[in-house]
Each structure stands twice: as structure tokens, then as C-alpha cells.
Amino acid sequence: MATTQKFKVMVVIKDNHGVSRTIYPIIEAGTDLEAKRLAQAQYPDASVRTVTKV
């Protein structure tokens, strides 16, 4: 069984008025690259910036 770690991902979401909101979801994944890909899939219109291990 593969071990998973928790990663905090910085996601910047822009709305139609140009206002940016930053959220920090915690995603369980095997690697930081996988966490980034999961965040991009979960928030397709957002910009995924940084991934840090929690």
C-alpha cells in the first residue's frame, strides 16, 4: 500500500471582475507533483502556485 502525505497547495482563483482570491486546500497525495496535478484537476480555472508539505 502506497503511503500518502498531506500537502498544502496555494490556489489563486480570479473571478469575472478581476478579483483574486487565494485558498489553501490540503490535499493527500504520494508526491508534491501529484498533489499539484490533483489541485489543477479540482480547480481547472484557477492558478496552482505552490505546494508545501504539511
Side-chain angles (χ1 to χ4, degrees):
M1 188 167 166
T3 59
T4 59
Q5 302 167 344
K6 290 187 178 182
F7 294 95
K8 185 164 85 169
V9 183
M10 177 182 172
V11 179
V12 179
I13 302 171
K14 251 188 193 171
D15 66 5
N16 295 339
H17 306 290
V19 178
S20 294
R21 287 187 307 130
T22 305
I23 59 171
Y24 296 92
I26 293 176
I27 296 177
E28 258 187 66
T31 64
D32 58 345
L33 189 60
E34 184 184 357
K36 185 173 184 173
R37 286 187 182 142
L38 286 169
Q40 286 172 335
Q42 207 168 7
Y43 305 100
D45 296 332
S47 173
V48 178
R49 300 286 171 91
T50 60
V51 179
T52 54
K53 191 173 171 185
V54 177

